[in-house]
Amino acid sequence: MPNFDYIIIGAGASGLLLADTLGNDAFFAKKSILILDKDLKNTNDRTWCFWEKGNGDFDAITYKTWRHIFFAGKQLRQTTAIHPYRYKMVRGIDFYKHYQSKLKQYPNIIVRHEEVLSVAQKSDFATVHTTSSVYHTPQVFTSIFDYKNLKKNSQYPILQQHFLGWVVKTEKPIFNPDEATFMDFSIPQKGNTRFMYLLPFAANQALVEYTLFSETPLERQEYENAIKTYLTTKDSGAYEILETETGSIPMTCYNFHQHNSANIVHIGIAGGWAKASTGYTFMKTNQNVKKLAHHLKKGRKAIDFKTKNRFWFYDLLLLDILYKHNHLGRSIFESLFKMHKPQLVFKFLDEKTNLFEEIKIMSAPSPLPFIKALLARIF
């Protein structure tokens, strides 16, 4: 006998957004929904950023916005206005508080802080074992992600977007509060795709992040040394570290859908919702939870929900290149921003371009690596 109609495992971005979408829709008002997460989600453990035209769903909790972005490569250094887009930042703690408060308004949603030990598919339902309970449900949505599944595959390359960032308060006013550094490739590449990512909150305060697209993470000290060197080159003077964040996002076109079953469906990063070529996940997750809710309202099975499109193949070609020739990342991204306005690049990464615009985008970098990657995939 089912305990709940839906069980959502994980109270991160995908779990909370899905719960809120279901809770806010009268269609699901009679569905009992349980959210499970061992963590209280009461710390500022991460930052989500995205670009958007005009007002959006997260304006009430947006911490900072920028109207200009800075990009630097080996030969290119440019600041560009991104109107009609704005680059927006949401802090984890603000997101958690906002959505935890909203969920309390829905009488059909319960949140419990229990560690999930296992999720199992039975004949026509799923069983969830936690440290204190056993639940039965016809539908589990889980955001539990396991790198082990990725490493077993040989068909798709796997890179990681891994990073360490400091929120620093500097002695000198060295930052431009209206300019976000999207990618600064002017730092040593060391055979990889490495860049600095900088989000200024004031002239003397910013999030400074050392980011790589590569196969394996570094020792913590190497990230920290890179940030120290970067701040020194900017003549920051003395500085105080206010917060630290670290992370690793899988960059792969791996078929996450194969791990779904009749009553268990993966969401968020575990469902392959991260943009494979960049690691951006937040807005794609927001879009996918709405599509998933619409899918369910149509009476369709959750296992049949898929998000794959032609942009998946574009991402696959780029990852094929970076997996074999990781050092080419700087030149590829530099060519995009040298040849095109950031508005077109953003539109492409949002997967909203038409075929003509996509040809323009893909003609910017040297075509030879992409031709080789395409031929390798065909043959």
Side-chain angles (χ1 to χ4, degrees):
M1 188 71 179
N3 303 102
F4 293 90
D5 293 305
Y6 298 136
I7 293 180
I8 299 172
I9 301 176
S14 60
L16 290 179
L17 287 174
L18 177 59
D20 179 60
T21 300
L22 299 179
N24 198 37
D25 193 321
F27 181 87
F28 300 99
K30 294 184 179 180
K31 297 288 187 181
S32 57
I33 302 170
L34 172 66
I35 304 176
L36 295 170
D37 197 308
K38 65 179 180 179
D39 296 324
L40 297 176
K41 301 294 184 183
N42 57 2
T43 60
N44 191 37
D45 60 348
R46 67 193 63 231
T47 297
W48 289 294
C49 289
F50 52 95
W51 51 87
E52 189 173 38
K53 294 180 181 179
N55 299 327
D57 294 341
F58 306 103
D59 287 351
I61 55 172
T62 295
Y63 184 73
K64 184 77 170 72
T65 64
W66 296 268
R67 299 179 184 274
H68 298 79
I69 64 165
F70 173 75
F71 179 91
K74 187 176 182 180
Q75 301 174 336
L76 178 68
R77 297 182 66 86
Q78 67 178 22
T79 296
T80 313
I82 58 174
H83 180 80
Y85 291 99
R86 282 183 294 162
Y87 198 72
K88 301 182 179 184
M89 170 184 165
V90 171
R91 301 191 311 162
I93 188 64
D94 299 329
F95 177 87
Y96 300 140
K97 286 181 178 179
H98 178 76
Y99 282 94
Q100 287 166 357
S101 177
K102 288 191 73 177
L103 294 188
K104 291 177 181 178
Q105 302 172 22
Y106 307 132
N108 60 324
I109 296 181
I110 295 174
V111 179
R112 292 180 181 170
H113 299 292
E114 301 175 18
E115 182 180 0
V116 173
L117 301 177
S118 66
V119 184
Q121 173 68 51
K122 300 301 182 180
S123 57
D124 58 353
F125 63 94
T127 298
V128 180
H129 286 257
T130 73
T131 46
S132 56
S133 306
V134 178
Y135 300 100
H136 307 290
T137 178
Q139 188 62 65
V140 169
F141 298 104
T142 176
S143 59
I144 295 176
F145 173 74
D146 190 350
Y147 261 112
K148 293 177 183 176
N149 290 328
L150 298 186
K151 293 177 180 177
K152 293 176 183 177
N153 99 96
S154 59
Q155 188 175 3
Y156 302 109
I158 306 165
L159 298 177
Q160 297 181 54
Q161 181 192 131
H162 49 103
F163 55 87
L164 184 145
W166 287 345
V167 175
V168 296
K169 186 175 183 180
T170 59
E171 177 185 10
K172 300 178 182 180
I174 61 171
F175 306 118
N176 180 353
D178 193 43
E179 176 188 281
T181 297
F182 190 67
M183 288 176 160
D184 185 348
F185 284 103
S186 65
I187 61 174
Q189 297 296 284
K190 301 181 181 180
N192 296 127
T193 298
R194 305 183 181 214
F195 59 92
M196 300 301 299
Y197 177 65
L198 192 152
L199 301 177
F201 311 135
N204 68 336
Q205 188 172 329
L207 169 63
V208 185
E209 209 163 77
Y210 186 54
T211 305
L212 290 82
F213 295 171
S214 67
E215 201 171 347
T216 55
L218 309 174
E219 294 295 327
R220 186 182 183 93
Q221 191 66 45
E222 190 168 351
Y223 299 99
E224 294 178 343
N225 288 341
I227 297 175
K228 291 175 184 177
T229 301
Y230 192 70
L231 290 172
T232 299
T233 61
K234 286 188 166 293
D235 193 24
S236 67
Y239 55 86
E240 178 186 1
I241 302 172
L242 305 179
E243 295 180 19
T244 299
E245 71 173 44
T246 62
S248 177
I249 302 169
M251 301 175 68
T252 180
C253 288
Y254 175 78
N255 179 20
F256 289 88
H257 188 264
Q258 66 183 293
H259 299 294
N260 294 340
S261 64
N263 303 96
I264 303 170
V265 167
H266 294 74
I267 60 174
I269 290 177
W273 291 4
K275 177 70 173 169
S277 58
T278 63
Y280 278 92
T281 309
F282 189 72
M283 285 302 281
K284 196 170 182 181
T285 294
N286 187 44
Q287 294 160 8
N288 281 340
V289 295
K290 293 177 180 179
K291 292 177 182 177
L292 177 56
H294 181 73
H295 180 89
L296 296 174
K297 288 171 70 173
K298 291 290 186 181
R300 298 167 183 163
K301 296 178 180 179
I303 191 175
D304 295 328
F305 179 72
K306 297 180 177 66
T307 59
K308 195 174 183 180
N309 55 29
R310 68 182 183 277
F311 293 91
W312 172 89
F313 190 71
Y314 301 155
D315 289 345
L316 177 59
L317 293 182
L318 177 62
L319 291 177
D320 280 344
I321 294 168
L322 295 183
Y323 186 75
K324 294 179 180 178
H325 310 286
N326 197 247
H327 66 284
L328 291 178
R330 175 169 68 179
S331 64
I332 291 172
F333 283 101
E334 184 169 2
S335 66
L336 289 179
F337 282 90
K338 183 177 181 180
M339 300 291 291
H340 302 297
K341 293 181 179 179
Q343 289 88 337
L344 180 59
V345 178
F346 285 165
K347 186 179 180 182
F348 176 70
L349 295 178
D350 277 340
E351 303 184 355
K352 294 180 179 178
T353 46
N354 57 44
L355 189 58
F356 175 72
E357 291 170 320
E358 290 151 24
I359 292 172
K360 285 179 64 177
I361 284 284
M362 290 183 287
S363 64
S366 172
L368 186 58
F370 287 90
I371 293 172
K372 288 182 177 179
L374 176 61
L375 293 175
R377 280 291 162 185
I378 293 174
F379 296 109

